[in-house]
Amino acid sequence: MKYRALIVDDERIIVNGIMRLPIWLSLDIEPVPAMTGLQALELMEQCRFDLIITDIRMPEMDGLEFISQMRKVYPDIPTVVLSGYDSFAYAKEAIHYGVSDYLLKPISQLDLSDTITRIFHEIEEKKEARQQEEMLRGTVKQTIRDANAQQLENGLLGGPDNGRLDRLLGSGYILAECIPCEREEENLGGLNILLENIKQIVLGPRRDSRAVVTLFMGHVVFAVNQETMDFGRLLSGIREWSDKNEYPFSVSWIPVTSGDCLADRYSLLTRISSYRFYYDKFCILSEEETKSAEGEPCFNALEEAVKDGNAELALTEMEDVIYDLRRLNKSPEEARTYCARLYLLLAKYTNEHVRETGIVRLLMTSARTDFNGLAAMLRQLLTQWETDRSEKNQASFSSTVQKAMLYVHDHLSDEGLSIAAVAGTVLFIHPDYFGKLFKKETGIAFTRYVMDLRMDRAKKLIAERPDIKVYELCEATGFGENPHYFSQVFRSCCGCTPSEYKRAMGNVKISF
């Protein structure tokens, strides 16, 4: 067998059921059973595993403790948690340990097979990416793997002697790293372009001898002398290149002085870089950008609006909460946890089906999603709730409002759809009277109702066809040949541009 998976569960019938899945043979994977966490750890000492599937409730050592012990030695093995408990505490701890998925029992063979297939496709992609990176390293080795670059890498890895690097860069220098906003690991072509251009900007035509640029752990890392290099001007040049080539990435930097442990400073730089979580365009990050504001986000007003069924107020409160989350600037880990808690809270009132069948799995994706993606996920939950609620309550509306709603649903792609057109040519009543009637019965303005439906259709089309063009979205949602206006409205309603939403939905798969 090409791969090996470890199945950990104290219930023999569950282990046997998982072991008999046809997916193992089709993916050339050997499944190996273990009845306890201790037994699983012993097996892992004897042979290599590519996937772990573990229950939570087990004797001797529960699944989370097993994962905790296993992660100390094997930090990168994809792990799927099985649980009969829809508990946020379990989900939160599982997120902390970086599990790949969290499935609630009873688990269908199809769901588990889909999860296994997805994970092993990711394993294959990462394997191919590593091979390509090795080829890339070989290609550029002659130009970037000189003695100075190697010395910088040794320092970043915790090498004991930084004397040579200090002599090269001086008693005070800037350490920085560039990370593309596009977080696809296999995008090595783009990484190579970034590397070569950062190298040209930093080293200059004369190949500045007091600067070093290298490729380290998949990131472009450089160090420049603080006295001889105008760092502000350097950042301006990097920003210009990003804007000109429409290539968004983050630049994080930190000062280093002689005698500092470079590995420790790089560890802090890595924490600073993690704040790119809040950006999907070019940004410059220093320690200043990692400072959090005092206070905690408050969800009470939003929760009350949802409980009361006030859709318009709920959508307004949602924007306030998203703004507050961004303003507080908590660490990415804290922000993800807040978003997960908020999603759980809202799902309790808005969509029982999602909460019972897929919410914890949805939360697992938060570890791989940026802030705008999580905000889009929260907005989509409320928008879908508003649409579903409107459809369920439609029977209680007057025949006039029901007729208008049906017409709107059938003519969303019509550029001429307006309150005047519906009132005058469909209902034969005055637009002002109809507008007041619609607002009184539904709780939202007619124009807002139409716009929300159009944005909902746009998001559904993006989910169904990730490669859909903006002009196609315009035609399907009544914006005709005005993609700029459509993008403005989409950003206003959804908090991100259509392309940003596409990227977010590429990381977050949501089913309603």
Side-chain angles (χ1 to χ4, degrees), residues 381 402 506:
L381 176 63
Q402 288 188 45

Side-chain angles (χ1 to χ4, degrees), residues 221-237:
V221 178
F222 65 89
V224 296
N225 180 275
Q226 211 164 352
E227 295 180 357
T228 61
M229 177 70 73
D230 184 341
F231 190 62
R233 186 175 180 181
L234 174 63
L235 290 178
S236 296

Side-chain angles (χ1 to χ4, degrees), residues 333-436:
E333 293 75 17
E334 289 179 285
R336 289 187 175 103
T337 299
Y338 281 127
C339 289
R341 283 174 52 193
L342 179 55
Y343 196 99
L344 277 167
L345 175 70
L346 295 178
K348 181 168 62 176
Y349 302 108
T350 60
N351 199 317
E352 193 75 11
H353 175 70
V354 171
R355 187 172 70 88
E356 291 182 349
T357 61
I359 187 167
V360 180
R361 184 189 304 183
L362 188 65
L363 296 177
M364 293 302 101
T365 65
S366 69
R368 301 187 293 274
T369 309
D370 60 24
F371 182 77
N372 284 339
L374 293 179
M377 181 177 73
L378 293 168
R379 290 189 181 98
Q380 185 174 21
L381 176 63
L382 271 196
T383 301
Q384 184 66 38
W385 165 68
E386 183 187 20
T387 302
D388 292 346
R389 180 175 169 276
S390 176
E391 291 174 354
K392 289 177 183 177
N393 293 337
Q394 191 170 336
S396 65
F397 299 145
S398 65
S399 59
T400 299
V401 171
Q402 288 188 45
K403 187 175 181 181
M405 286 180 164
L406 289 173
Y407 184 84
V408 168
H409 276 269
D410 292 339
H411 295 81
L412 281 178
S413 60
D414 186 354
E415 287 185 69
L417 183 64
S418 67
I419 189 170
V422 173
T425 62
V426 179
L427 304 174
F428 304 105
I429 59 178
H430 196 278
D432 290 344
Y433 169 75
F434 170 63
K436 293 176 182 177

Side-chain angles (χ1 to χ4, degrees), residues 166-325:
D166 289 342
R167 288 192 296 274
L168 169 69
L169 296 171
S171 59
Y173 57 94
I174 298 291
L175 180 68
E177 71 176 348
C178 304
I179 306 176
C181 290
E182 185 63 53
R183 292 168 175 79
E184 295 182 7
E185 294 182 39
E186 64 271 19
N187 188 18
L188 294 175
L191 183 62
N192 190 21
I193 291 173
L194 180 63
L195 170 67
E196 291 304 318
N197 282 276
I198 293 297
K199 186 177 178 182
Q200 290 180 21
I201 295 170
V202 172
L203 300 182
R206 297 183 180 180
R207 296 292 175 177
D208 192 332
S209 61
R210 306 200 74 181
V212 185
V213 182
T214 190
L215 186 66
F216 183 76
M217 305 293 286
H219 300 164
V220 177
V221 178
F222 65 89
V224 296
N225 180 275
Q226 211 164 352
E227 295 180 357
T228 61
M229 177 70 73
D230 184 341
F231 190 62
R233 186 175 180 181
L234 174 63
L235 290 178
S236 296
I238 292 175
R239 181 189 292 276
E240 287 177 11
W241 182 84
S242 173
D243 292 342
K244 180 180 179 181
N245 293 275
E246 298 183 346
Y247 189 166
F249 58 92
S250 67
V251 182
S252 309
W253 65 273
I254 193 170
V256 181
T257 58
S258 180
D260 285 344
C261 174
L262 187 57
D264 289 343
R265 298 302 285 168
Y266 183 67
S267 178
L268 177 56
L269 180 62
T270 300
R271 188 178 74 83
I272 294 171
S273 295
S274 72
Y275 276 75
R276 70 190 187 280
F277 163 78
Y278 287 107
Y279 302 87
D280 50 20
K281 56 185 178 181
F282 179 85
C283 61
I284 297 171
L285 303 170
S286 65
E287 250 187 305
E288 186 66 28
E289 281 70 41
T290 67
K291 294 179 179 178
S292 299
E294 293 185 4
E296 304 294 329
C298 180
F299 305 153
N300 294 342
L302 175 57
E303 182 180 8
E304 288 301 316
V306 175
K307 284 171 65 177
D308 293 341
N310 190 332
E312 189 166 19
L313 179 59
L315 290 166
T316 300
E317 292 292 344
M318 170 64 82
E319 294 308 315
D320 289 344
V321 168
I322 290 173
Y323 172 80
D324 211 27
L325 283 169

